[in-house]
Amino acid sequence: PHAILKLAMKAVAAKEEELPGLFYEESLEFARLANTQVSRNLVGIFFGQTEAKKPPVGVKPAVKVKKVGVLGAGTMGAGIAQSAAYKGFEVVLKDINQEALDKGMRTIRGLFDDLVARKKLTPAKADELYGNITPTLDYADMADCDMVIEAVAEVMKVKKIVRGECDKVILKPYLFLSNTSSLLIGEMAEGHVDEKVTVEPAKYPELIAGLHFFNPVHLMPLVEVVKGSTTSDAALASAQLFALKLGKTTVRTNDAPCFVVNRILVPYMREAIMLAQEGVPIEDIEKIARKFGMPMGPFSLLDAVGLDIAGHVLDTMYGAFGERMSAPEILGDLKALKLLGIKSGSGFYLYDSEGNKKFVKEGKMFRKKKRYILNPDVTAAISARASKTRKTDSEIIDRLYLIMVAEAARALEEGVIEDPRQLDIAMIFGTGFPAHTGGLLKWADSMGTSLVCQKLEWLSTVHGPNFAPCDLLKGKAETNEPFVKN
């Protein structure tokens, strides 16, 4: 691109008789760029995303959706409600707390105001779409909803309770979709009994599915459409069609702890913490991740997600996969310090009231650069566990990204997702994995599965079983077979 821009600048100043030669040079440069691996990777992503935006074929949707209920007016619930209203759906937004409901509606108002400021909507149209949302504290107002999306606390009992309440007031068949990031969809169809509450099994277990949005909903293009153990193909088609109408890129997954994106992302964030716990400077890890092509470093991502949420998801994975997903010791220190990340003003970094990282400017007068301020409580906790150590860029890259490849291969082997290209689409649009690589598995293919397997076997002996290659990867390594067929 720089070479073509340089030629274009030359053409502006060129004499008329020089133009044919410059156009010829431009065509040669374009042909060279079009034949690079990066170009082929990006074309592959285009076709993969196009496939992910196609509606399901040969399956009649279970429910025609006109009115959508959203349970929970927090960040995710408000984002989902706004996205649905923006696309013309009637929306009922329910919470159990008036203050939370009011805050959610203010968030939605702000999202519509931003669309007006960016000339995407007229003020009148924004008011009309905002008016399509009915805030309520009463389940009875959801009686005529065709679909309900829950975005409540990440606790199975709570999700069963809200599903049971919807079953009481919605008498017709309706879709119940969960925005859970880690819990099993099939379990939500089951009943629950304890000393305080009794929840009956679902009236329509075949109409329960997962619809996992990513935060912030209005910006993140990916949605995981999850088939639970009771989900019918028709219900899954309805859920996918709804996500497509919102303009999302969809990937289908089967029911498993953390599905695909979080299943692969959590080991990456865990390994970053392990590196820091060993004494590798957080600044080094962040810098190398951004240099690799990630939109932000793993510690910035942890602060954005919320350290409490990340810890909860890691606990879920520990319960599902055992000791290899145990929480790093430093997370216990952070929990004791009650650090939550951006939402509390402090995590690995310090934040102002607007959620921006605090920084100082360093350097000479005209070459000053921002240095973001790490939380001194965190650096003190790390220093108490390990002295500062340095690692090469390649060592850090292998630790951060090969562990993702190992987990992705396990997800394929277990049938959580069936198409390697769709897994790559999920990682690009769900985590910001650098698109020029073609995706996580395409990046692994560029090294060769044989070399990847060798590296993982060595890393597993030094840094633990998370790196151990699964049988699927070992089988591919024998003949250097790629994950993604061109």
Side-chain angles (χ1 to χ4, degrees), residues 7 143 158 174 254 356 477:
L7 285 167
V158 176
Y174 73 100
N254 291 313
N356 300 309

Side-chain angles (χ1 to χ4, degrees), residues 67-135:
K67 193 167 188 175
V68 179
V70 180
L71 297 173
T75 302
M76 294 301 293
I80 294 167
Q82 188 271 339
S83 294
Y86 181 46
K87 292 300 181 178
F89 291 96
E90 291 181 69
V91 180
V92 178
L93 178 63
K94 185 197 175 297
D95 206 286
I96 59 173
N97 179 282
Q98 186 64 53
E99 185 179 348
L101 193 60
D102 293 342
K103 182 179 179 182
M105 292 301 291
R106 287 196 298 273
T107 298
I108 292 168
R109 179 79 262 182
L111 292 171
F112 277 119
D113 287 345
D114 182 61
L115 289 168
V116 171
R118 293 190 290 117
K119 309 296 184 185
K120 299 289 185 180
L121 289 175
T122 64
K125 187 64 177 177
D127 289 342
E128 177 190 333
L129 295 176
Y130 178 76
N132 284 342
I133 302 174
T134 302

Side-chain angles (χ1 to χ4, degrees), residues 173-385:
Y174 73 100
L175 288 164
F176 183 85
L177 306 180
S178 175
N179 184 53
T180 180
S181 60
S182 60
L183 302 177
L184 292 177
I185 300 301
E187 192 176 340
M188 293 180 197
E190 299 172 3
H192 176 86
V193 179
D194 62 27
E195 65 278 5
K196 293 183 179 180
V197 66
T198 298
V199 181
E200 295 294 327
K203 285 197 300 184
Y204 308 106
E206 72 281 4
L207 298 182
I208 295 177
L211 203 62
H212 179 215
F213 292 82
F214 292 81
N215 189 30
V217 175
H218 66 290
L219 294 179
M220 294 295 284
L222 185 74
V223 171
E224 290 178 308
V225 184
V226 186
K227 184 174 185 178
S229 57
T230 65
T231 310
S232 69
D233 289 341
L236 202 69
S238 295
Q240 186 175 7
L241 281 171
F242 173 74
L244 291 171
K245 286 178 181 177
L246 299 190
K248 300 299 184 181
T249 296
T250 61
V251 292
R252 286 193 179 195
T253 84
N254 291 313
D255 209 2
C258 299
F259 315 129
V260 171
V261 172
N262 283 339
R263 166 80 179 266
I264 298 168
L265 187 63
V266 168
Y268 160 76
M269 295 191 290
R270 179 186 182 276
E271 198 60 28
I273 297 170
M274 294 297 292
L275 281 163
Q277 192 170 279
E278 293 167 19
V280 180
I282 287 174
E283 301 95 319
D284 289 1
I285 301 167
E286 293 271 277
K287 180 181 177 182
I288 289 165
R290 292 195 304 272
K291 185 178 177 182
F292 182 78
M294 299 297 282
M296 65 178 72
F299 299 98
S300 300
L301 178 60
L302 280 159
D303 279 355
V305 169
L307 299 182
D308 54 337
I309 294 173
H312 175 79
V313 175
L314 188 55
D315 287 343
T316 300
M317 293 190 72
Y318 174 72
F321 305 116
E323 195 60 34
R324 71 182 183 86
M325 287 294 182
S326 61
E329 294 173 355
I330 195 69
L331 275 185
D333 300 337
L334 302 186
K335 189 174 182 179
L337 292 167
K338 298 182 179 179
L339 303 179
L340 302 179
I342 293 175
K343 59 190 172 187
S344 68
S346 60
F348 287 97
Y349 293 92
L350 299 177
Y351 299 87
D352 62 23
S353 59
E354 300 297 318
N356 300 309
K357 285 180 184 173
K358 293 183 179 180
F359 63 89
V360 294
K361 286 190 174 182
E362 297 177 335
K364 295 182 179 180
M365 186 173 180
F366 297 109
R367 294 185 179 180
K368 286 188 175 182
K369 292 184 178 180
K370 290 180 181 179
R371 179 178 65 79
Y372 294 107
I373 302 172
L374 286 167
N375 188 337
D377 290 335
V378 173
T379 53
I382 291 172
S383 298
R385 292 188 176 275

Side-chain angles (χ1 to χ4, degrees), residues 67 69-72 92-97 101 134-145 148-153 157-171 174 176 199:
K67 193 167 188 175
V70 180
L71 297 173
V92 178
L93 178 63
K94 185 197 175 297
D95 206 286
I96 59 173
N97 179 282
L101 193 60
T134 302
T136 185
L137 299 174
D138 191 347
Y139 279 103
D141 291 329
M142 307 183 77
D144 58 346
C145 287
V148 174
I149 305 171
E150 69 79 13
V152 299
K157 176 181 173 180
V158 176
K159 294 182 185 295
K160 287 183 179 181
I161 289 172
V162 299
R163 190 267 303 153
E165 292 300 318
C166 289
D167 279 357
K168 291 177 185 177
V169 300
I170 305 176
L171 303 181
Y174 73 100
F176 183 85
V199 181

Side-chain angles (χ1 to χ4, degrees), residues 4 7 24-36 39:
I4 289 178
L7 285 167
Y24 178 70
E25 285 184 54
E26 182 185 44
S27 64
L28 289 178
E29 187 62 28
F30 180 83
R32 183 186 70 79
L33 291 171
N35 199 39
T36 61
S39 175

